[in-house]
Amino acid sequence: MAGYADDLSLAHLLADTADSISMSRFRALDLRVESKPDLTPVSDADTAVEQAIRSTLARARPRDGVLGEEFGLTHAAAGPGSRRWVIDPIDGTKNFVRGVPIWGTLIALLEGDTPVAGLVSAPALGRRWWAARGHGAYAGKHQRAASRIAVSSVRRLGDASVCYASLDGWQQIGRLQGLVDLSLAAWRSRAYGDFYGYMLLAEGALDVMVEPELSLWDVAALIPIVQEAGGTITDLAGRPPADKSSVIATNGPLHETVLTALSR
């Protein structure tokens, strides 16, 4: 995987560290949970994972910036550059604090504003997903136990499995009816939420995953994985997802149908 092999190897190393920390705190009786200003939860595992990743990146990639959910943007110690790591230490914190095993660490590398490599590690599920631009998407327990993954070939909405994160967010942006109509027209709909729906999409296990708004750290790692698996991922206007934008991911053939349905 010329060009990004070292970066992906580093991402796996970062994920190893993250997994060790997060699994030691998962379902811990002394887990500390606080509310952030936006009323979303943050646990001591979130902060510990991000601090550990930042510490390693400061040594291994001093010319790269870092953006993380818990500690914001840190510019490169060695001077400004075009590369930036984007970290969500625990995507699915609400699941994590309730003991639900669907949560993971998201690690992305951006060149400029473009995500070029991404890794998702879900240690409680015993699975990782990763990709780099132009080199395909993979899943497995680790790099040495991996299989290439690809989206489905479903072309009709009536044959499709649709996934969404929640209903209230779609209601808040005035698109709830579109989501309801989309779900009713599909073969099947489920709300897996967070990173997991996108990874199931990349594996071909479902065909559509939609969310009304995500921050950059929620989506950056997902973009190259979905794209390298052959899927399409945009906002509701068909543009590349950005910070605080909607995110619509499909297997490709269904994309325009989904965008049209959600625009109602």
Side-chain angles (χ1 to χ4, degrees):
M1 197 168 289
Y4 299 107
D6 289 345
D7 295 312
L8 274 178
S9 292
L10 176 58
H12 278 278
L13 179 64
L14 296 172
D16 289 342
T17 300
D19 291 354
S20 177
I21 295 170
S22 57
M23 284 301 291
S24 72
R25 302 302 293 149
F26 183 49
R27 295 175 175 161
L29 296 179
D30 62 342
L31 182 72
R32 298 188 304 277
V33 183
E34 300 176 354
S35 291
K36 293 190 283 191
D38 63 0
L39 301 182
T40 59
V42 57
S43 73
D44 57 70
D46 292 81
T47 54
V49 167
E50 186 168 324
Q51 286 170 336
I53 291 176
R54 285 174 174 273
S55 178
T56 300
L57 286 173
R59 297 190 304 270
R61 294 290 189 273
R63 295 187 180 277
D64 297 349
V66 180
L67 172 67
E69 179 176 8
E70 307 307 334
F71 298 105
L73 177 63
T74 300
H75 294 289
S82 62
R83 290 165 44 109
R84 176 175 38 145
W85 295 83
V86 178
I87 310 299
D88 189 343
I90 296 183
D91 184 57
T93 299
K94 292 177 181 178
N95 282 347
F96 185 88
V97 301
R98 290 296 302 269
V100 178
I102 302 174
W103 50 270
T105 296
L106 279 52
I107 301 169
L109 174 63
L110 275 63
E111 290 184 348
D113 293 325
T114 302
V116 295
L119 181 148
V120 173
S121 183
L125 300 178
R127 196 158 179 81
R128 287 183 186 177
W129 301 262
W130 61 92
R133 186 170 60 182
H135 295 283
Y138 297 83
K141 287 189 175 182
H142 49 73
Q143 278 183 298
R144 296 178 300 280
S147 300
R148 190 159 183 169
I149 57 175
V151 297
S152 74
S153 58
V154 172
R155 306 189 71 86
R156 294 181 61 253
L157 184 57
D159 298 326
S161 181
V162 171
C163 185
Y164 57 93
S166 65
L167 298 178
D168 56 335
W170 291 99
Q171 185 176 44
Q172 290 169 13
I173 66 170
R175 301 290 182 96
L176 179 58
Q177 190 58 53
L179 177 63
V180 171
D181 292 344
L182 176 69
S183 299
L184 291 175
W187 167 66
R188 190 171 191 253
S189 64
R190 289 292 185 272
Y192 298 112
D194 301 310
F195 72 90
Y196 196 45
Y198 299 93
M199 298 303 95
L200 292 174
L201 168 74
E203 291 186 345
L206 56 83
D207 313 296
V208 177
M209 174 65 187
V210 298
E211 291 194 82
E213 182 181 280
L214 290 179
S215 297
L216 183 60
W217 46 74
D218 295 313
V219 70
L222 313 179
I223 293 172
I225 298 172
V226 169
Q227 291 176 333
E228 290 300 314
T232 301
I233 183 166
T234 71
D235 66 9
L236 277 167
R239 301 168 300 206
D243 189 38
K244 303 299 183 185
S245 78
S246 53
V247 180
I248 312 301
T250 74
N251 66 344
L254 292 167
H255 206 76
E256 290 303 320
T257 299
V258 173
L259 291 180
T260 298
L262 291 174
S263 68
R264 295 170 186 160

